[in-house]
């Protein structure tokens, strides 16, 4: 069984979705402490998967700009699905998983 078969099998077997809600209160003291440290982000890669819906490219462009302003040196990998109505191919998913520490999927309409 190859890696693609395992990945496809794992995706088919799971019935859960993880949803991260970016809401909360952040201690400003903690933010200042972490900002004072120098963190090398030159090897960190953020993947962005454009789902090909109307407006998703613009949303991802703006998000990338904001992340670059906030974090400085961060690398991005941008891929676009060929069609909004179809899922990303196993090749695209594996490519993003191999290259990226985190992936953002752009949804718009």
């Amino acid at each position: 069984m190859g890696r693609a078969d395992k990945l496809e099998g794992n995706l088919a077997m799971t019935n859960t979705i993880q949803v991260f809600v970016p809401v909360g209160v952040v201690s400003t003291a903690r933010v200042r402490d972490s900002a004072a440290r120098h963190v090398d982000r030159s090897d960190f890669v953020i993947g962005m998967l454009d789902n090909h819906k109307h407006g998703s490219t613009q949303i991802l462009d703006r998000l990338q700009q904001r992340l670059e302003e906030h974090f400085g040196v961060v690398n991005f990998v941008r891929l676009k699905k060929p069609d909004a109505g179809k899922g990303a191919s196993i090749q695209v998913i594996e490519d993003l998983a191999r290259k990226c520490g985190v992936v953002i999927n752009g949804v718009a309409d």
Side-chain angles (χ1 to χ4, degrees):
M1 181 181 270
R3 185 168 182 219
D5 295 330
K6 287 180 184 176
L7 179 60
E8 190 172 45
N10 289 341
L11 291 175
M13 291 173 37
T14 182
N15 290 327
T16 61
I17 298 173
Q18 289 182 332
V19 178
F20 298 95
V21 180
V23 176
V25 178
V26 177
S27 166
T28 56
R30 220 170 98 206
V31 170
R32 274 188 289 239
D33 290 345
S34 63
R37 293 182 300 169
H38 174 70
V39 178
D40 181 15
R41 294 183 183 92
S42 61
D43 288 339
F44 191 74
V45 179
I46 297 174
M48 294 187 154
L49 179 59
D50 188 324
N51 68 355
H52 211 100
K53 288 189 176 184
H54 180 72
S56 59
T57 300
Q58 292 83 359
I59 289 172
L60 290 175
D61 288 345
R62 180 68 175 130
L63 181 57
Q64 181 174 338
Q65 178 187 10
R66 296 288 304 268
L67 289 168
E68 287 171 337
E69 289 169 1
H70 186 75
F71 293 109
V73 180
V74 177
N75 297 301
F76 292 89
V77 170
R78 300 276 300 258
L79 296 175
K80 189 169 191 169
K81 290 177 16 178
D83 185 356
K86 296 179 182 174
S89 70
I90 293 296
Q91 176 66 34
V92 167
I93 293 170
E94 285 183 342
D95 193 33
L96 288 169
R98 184 175 47 257
K99 293 179 181 176
C100 306
V102 65
V103 176
I104 300 164
N105 183 36
V107 177
D109 259 342

